[in-house]
Amino acid sequence: MAANFQPVTSAKGLVIRGGVVIDPASGVNGHRDVVIRDGKINAVTEPEGGAGADLTVIDASGCLVFPGLIDMHVHLREPGYEYKETIESGARAALAGGFSAVACMANTNPVNDSAAVTEFIRERAREVALARVYPIGAVSKQLKGEELAEIGEMHRAGIVAISDDGMPIMDGGLMRRALEYSSMFNLPVIVHEQDGTIAGDGVMNEGAVSMRLGLKGLPAAAEEAMVARDLAILERAGGRLHIAHLSTAGSVALVGDAKRRGLPVTAEVTPHHFSLTEAAVGAYNGNAKMNPPLRTARDVDAVRRGLADGTIDAIATDHAPHHRDEKEIEFDRALNGIIGLETAVPLALRMAEETNITLSALVMAMSTNPARILGVPGGSLALGVPADVTIVDPARRWTVCAAHFQSKSRNTPFEGMELQGQVVMTLVGGRVVWRRADV
Ligand SMILES: [Zn+2]
């Protein structure tokens, strides 16, 4: 499957014609032309209004035109694990999946717990010049959950949030200090909610399937107990709490209740948690192993309803590349996580259709809200903002074949699945940095 990264640029600018523009931040939902000059949104006009007659035309007939999608939870693996992914390959995977920007977690080697590592990531992303890459700093030094990391200096170096993602923060006192301290910089604290004393060494959702397979279970209570604890701390400590990859019906209920009480909490769900159940573990499929684990049909229903009613703010992939030798082994030993950037859009489109979620709500969850939560540019096609744009052909059918992905890793549970909807073009700052060659 060919693809190309030759930027299409035009000295004067571009006009995207014929598409259906969905931009909830500006209240736009319908056929419009998007005029881009000097890398910025210059006008969003009625179709064939004549604006941009002097510009290079991008034909988006039959396509959806979104503000550039933003994935607020990815693992780019550089520095330290370049055999799984690099900032460059991860940024290519992002663009191919329609994400003009990603925020990358701190569990690299060395851990992003200092300004030096934050600066390294930003510098590599600048050199690569593909998707925008926003580093997330660690909450604790070395992700050990003991001492706060150098949050102030990382903030000056450009982090957009703090998180020990992958390592739940068991020390409630540290969690409280993280919320108090981060509030001085208005940085959200992104939390991986799992009480290790309840989780033990579970490897999949605890229930009928884990019993049948003879695998140790991760009970829903391990997640929900931590969500409840952190909401209680948030209520007193201040700051902003963002719950990563929420996965159970009980967590959705807790977040909904906290929001009704006005607490500054937001939450995300992954495409795999709204698309698959624990049944995907099947015959010990390592590519269905992640943390939090795939849950039950009732949990899938609950996270979908949470997205529909706004309890859940964002869709984030938790893109977690691993080498096949780390996944295609005994289930107990397989590493947690799957790649997600290049399948997110069609999975989200399918979920939205099945759940009666509007395209506007989908764009809110995949662009507008992540921009707002992280305080980064983008999330809209308002006049004068950098022209980050995603163009999707909602009718194209394709079969997932990870061997053709831009990611260096292949660990997806969606291999061989037929999906509908494909990203055909991604623009960053008015440059076409990704376009499918067969379009
Ligand atoms: Zn993660």
Side-chain angles (χ1 to χ4, degrees):
M1 200 175 298
N4 109 43
F5 283 93
Q6 254 91 66
V8 176
T9 44
S10 153
K12 289 183 175 161
L14 302 166
V15 55
I16 302 169
R17 281 204 204 285
V20 172
V21 176
I22 313 275
D23 181 22
S26 314
V28 175
N29 185 338
H31 279 97
R32 296 286 193 286
D33 289 350
V34 179
V35 180
I36 297 165
R37 291 183 196 270
D38 302 319
K40 299 194 167 70
I41 303 293
N42 179 261
V44 177
T45 68
E46 293 300 320
E48 306 300 336
D54 55 328
L55 306 181
T56 303
V57 175
I58 292 173
D59 179 9
S61 313
C63 290
L64 301 168
V65 180
F66 300 148
L69 303 181
I70 301 170
D71 188 345
M72 61 183 297
H73 187 153
V74 303
H75 299 268
L76 296 183
R77 305 304 192 201
E78 184 179 356
Y81 305 100
E82 291 83 356
Y83 67 96
K84 299 177 197 245
E85 197 79 286
T86 62
I87 290 168
E88 179 168 10
S89 66
R92 285 179 194 276
L95 293 174
F99 295 96
S100 55
V102 295
C104 58
M105 286 297 175
N107 61 342
T108 47
N109 184 18
V111 168
N112 184 17
D113 60 3
S114 69
V117 179
T118 303
E119 278 158 11
F120 167 81
I121 295 167
R122 294 192 67 197
E123 182 55 33
R124 276 300 297 143
R126 256 194 306 274
E127 286 164 13
V128 163
L130 294 164
R132 300 181 198 274
V133 175
Y134 300 114
I136 294 170
V139 170
S140 68
K141 287 184 180 161
Q142 312 261 329
L143 307 178
K144 283 187 173 156
E146 292 164 3
E147 261 181 282
L148 284 181
E150 302 292 345
I151 295 165
E153 72 166 50
M154 288 192 292
H155 175 250
R156 283 189 292 280
I159 59 168
V160 294
I162 54 172
S163 182
D164 274 5
D165 179 57
M167 303 297 286
I169 298 172
M170 285 300 292
D171 181 335
L174 183 78
M175 186 65 211
R176 175 184 177 173
R177 289 194 297 283
L179 280 164
E180 287 170 347
Y181 194 56
S182 62
S183 70
M184 291 164 49
F185 311 104
N186 193 25
L187 289 171
V189 182
I190 302 177
V191 282
H192 183 147
E193 300 293 48
Q194 180 171 286
D195 182 323
T197 63
I198 303 174
D201 47 7
V203 293
M204 71 169 293
N205 184 49
E206 181 176 286
V209 182
S210 66
M211 291 276 282
R212 180 164 52 75
L213 294 175
L215 292 170
K216 284 192 183 149
L218 288 162
E223 176 172 312
E224 292 155 8
M226 282 288 260
V227 172
R229 182 202 73 174
D230 287 347
L231 290 170
I233 296 171
L234 175 69
E235 190 151 12
R236 290 154 186 87
R240 288 195 289 140
L241 185 72
H242 177 80
I243 297 174
H245 42 48
L246 164 159
S247 74
T248 76
S251 296
V252 179
L254 286 164
V255 171
D257 175 62
K259 284 190 162 183
R260 280 186 290 279
R261 288 186 289 130
L263 290 189
V265 61
T266 52
E268 76 193 25
V269 64
T270 70
H272 45 281
H273 286 111
F274 65 59
S275 300
L276 300 174
T277 69
E278 59 189 349
V281 173
Y284 307 95
N285 175 9
N287 284 332
K289 182 177 177 185
M290 64 283 288
N291 190 325
L294 298 172
R295 303 284 189 182
T296 66
R298 181 175 156 263
D299 296 305
V300 171
D301 273 356
V303 296
R304 287 176 171 215
R305 270 185 280 113
L307 270 172
D309 69 16
T311 303
I312 298 175
D313 304 83
I315 294 171
T317 68
D318 194 9
H319 179 79
H322 289 300
H323 192 270
R324 59 183 300 167
D325 296 347
E326 298 164 327
K327 291 298 271 183
E328 293 171 21
I329 51 174
E330 199 188 321
F331 193 85
D332 280 329
R333 290 170 50 230
L335 296 186
N336 282 309
I338 59 166
I339 55 172
L341 285 165
E342 292 170 82
T343 46
V345 164
L347 292 171
L349 288 170
R350 186 175 68 185
M351 180 277 301
E353 193 171 312
E354 290 171 356
T355 316
N356 278 324
I357 291 177
T358 63
L359 287 173
S360 280
L362 206 62
V363 172
M364 286 288 284
M366 297 183 81
S367 179
T368 320
N369 287 342
R372 174 177 57 84
I373 293 164
L374 297 176
V376 299
S380 93
L381 298 174
L383 300 191
V385 306
D388 294 2
V389 185
T390 300
I391 305 178
V392 176
D393 181 342
R396 272 174 87 96
R397 300 186 75 85
W398 59 289
T399 302
V400 177
C401 176
H404 294 147
F405 279 174
Q406 299 298 316
S407 172
K408 275 179 121 170
S409 290
R410 307 282 174 250
N411 50 313
T412 173
F414 300 106
E415 181 73 18
M417 193 175 282
E418 192 180 341
L419 296 175
Q420 184 174 334
Q422 196 163 44
V423 174
V424 294
M425 204 176 283
T426 307
L427 288 80
V428 177
R431 280 198 318 151
V432 178
V433 280
W434 161 265
R435 115 185 274 175
R436 290 199 64 80
D438 54 348
V439 173

